[in-house]
Amino acid sequence: MTVYGKLGKHHYLMQKENKESWYIMQIRLSKREDAASMIELEHLVWTPGTTPGDIHFDSEAEFLLKSPPGSKIVVVTDDKVVGILGYKSPIPLASNKHVAEIDIAVHPDYQRAGIGQLLMDKMKEVAREKGYIKIALRVLSINQKAIRFYEKNGFKQEGLLEKEFIIQGEFVDDILMAYFL
C-alpha cells in the first residue's frame, strides 16, 4: 500500500499494492471509540523485538486510563486504527515541559505504506503547536527497521544503555534518540 495524496487537512488517499483498491485514511487525535482497535494494534505490534516488556490490556477501561482520548495521534481507515503515535512528557516537571517522548506503532499490513511518515510529520506539527523543542524516544538496538526510520526522520542517537534488557535470553541495548525542532 502507498499513500498517494492529501484529500483535505486530515484525510489521505491510499492505494493497495494490487492497484485495484483505494482507501481513505484519516489522521487525528484518538477518541474513546478507538480504544478496542488501538488495543488490538498494541497487542499485535509490541513484541519481544520491539519492546522490553509485555504490553497487555485486559479491558478498554484499563487502556483508557493509560491512554485517555486525545493522548495519541491515530491513522484510521475503514473505522480501524492502523497507526498510533503516543506522546507525553517523560518527566512531569516544569523544567522538562519542552520535551515530548514518543512511541509509534503501525499495523504490519500497513507498514512501508507511508503511515509511519504521516504520524511522524503530524507529531512534528503538534510539537511545534504545543511548544516542544525536543522529541525523544527509546528504541531497542535489535529493532533496526525502526532505527533506520527514525534516522531518516532526523533523529540522532543521544545515548546508549548497554545491556539494558535481557530479551529471550540475550542482552539488548536501549538506544536513546532525539529530534530537535
Side-chain angles (χ1 to χ4, degrees), residues 85 90 98-102 117 119-129 131-139 147-159 175-181:
L85 189 146
H98 62 285
V99 180
E101 185 174 64
I102 66 168
Q117 192 63 55
L119 287 164
M120 192 62 76
D121 291 346
K122 184 67 172 178
M123 180 61 220
K124 290 175 182 177
E125 179 184 316
V126 167
R128 285 184 188 90
E129 290 170 4
Y132 295 121
I133 63 163
K134 178 180 179 179
I135 302 171
L137 60 86
R138 296 172 72 159
V139 61
I147 293 167
R148 283 190 302 276
F149 173 75
Y150 299 137
E151 289 173 341
K152 182 183 113 186
N153 277 277
F155 283 77
K156 304 285 187 225
Q157 182 173 321
E158 285 195 309
I175 299 172
L176 310 177
M177 300 184 82
Y179 174 86
F180 290 88
L181 298 157

Side-chain angles (χ1 to χ4, degrees), residues 86-127:
Y87 62 96
K88 63 180 173 38
S89 173
I91 303 169
L93 297 173
S95 60
N96 193 243
K97 69 180 182 181
H98 62 285
V99 180
E101 185 174 64
I102 66 168
D103 58 87
I104 186 170
V106 176
H107 192 289
D109 292 346
Y110 293 84
Q111 290 179 4
R112 304 199 56 78
I115 291 173
Q117 192 63 55
L118 285 176
L119 287 164
M120 192 62 76
D121 291 346
K122 184 67 172 178
M123 180 61 220
K124 290 175 182 177
E125 179 184 316
V126 167

Side-chain angles (χ1 to χ4, degrees), residues 10-162:
H10 304 289
H11 291 83
Y12 294 82
L13 187 63
M14 181 175 79
Q15 187 176 38
K16 275 201 158 188
E17 296 292 329
N18 63 16
K19 309 244 187 262
E20 295 176 15
S21 301
W22 291 86
Y23 294 91
I24 294 177
M25 296 182 303
Q26 180 184 27
I27 188 165
R28 58 171 169 73
L29 293 178
S30 59
K31 298 178 182 178
R32 178 176 294 280
E33 55 267 21
D34 296 326
S37 186
M38 291 171 68
I39 291 169
E40 181 182 330
L41 179 56
E42 298 256 3
H43 289 170
L44 183 63
V45 300
W46 298 120
T47 66
T50 59
T51 187
D54 186 37
I55 294 181
H56 182 80
F57 300 98
D58 291 320
S59 68
E60 288 183 24
E62 178 188 359
F63 178 80
L64 289 167
L65 281 175
K66 178 192 172 278
S67 303
S71 66
K72 296 186 182 266
I73 300 167
V74 296
V75 173
V76 179
T77 187
D78 293 330
D79 295 322
K80 178 180 178 181
V81 174
V82 297
I84 302 171
L85 189 146
Y87 62 96
K88 63 180 173 38
S89 173
I91 303 169
L93 297 173
S95 60
N96 193 243
K97 69 180 182 181
H98 62 285
V99 180
E101 185 174 64
I102 66 168
D103 58 87
I104 186 170
V106 176
H107 192 289
D109 292 346
Y110 293 84
Q111 290 179 4
R112 304 199 56 78
I115 291 173
Q117 192 63 55
L118 285 176
L119 287 164
M120 192 62 76
D121 291 346
K122 184 67 172 178
M123 180 61 220
K124 290 175 182 177
E125 179 184 316
V126 167
R128 285 184 188 90
E129 290 170 4
K130 293 187 176 283
Y132 295 121
I133 63 163
K134 178 180 179 179
I135 302 171
L137 60 86
R138 296 172 72 159
V139 61
L140 297 177
S141 59
I142 57 176
N143 193 349
Q144 290 297 309
K145 185 168 70 169
I147 293 167
R148 283 190 302 276
F149 173 75
Y150 299 137
E151 289 173 341
K152 182 183 113 186
N153 277 277
F155 283 77
K156 304 285 187 225
Q157 182 173 321
E158 285 195 309
L160 176 70
L161 303 176
E162 293 184 38

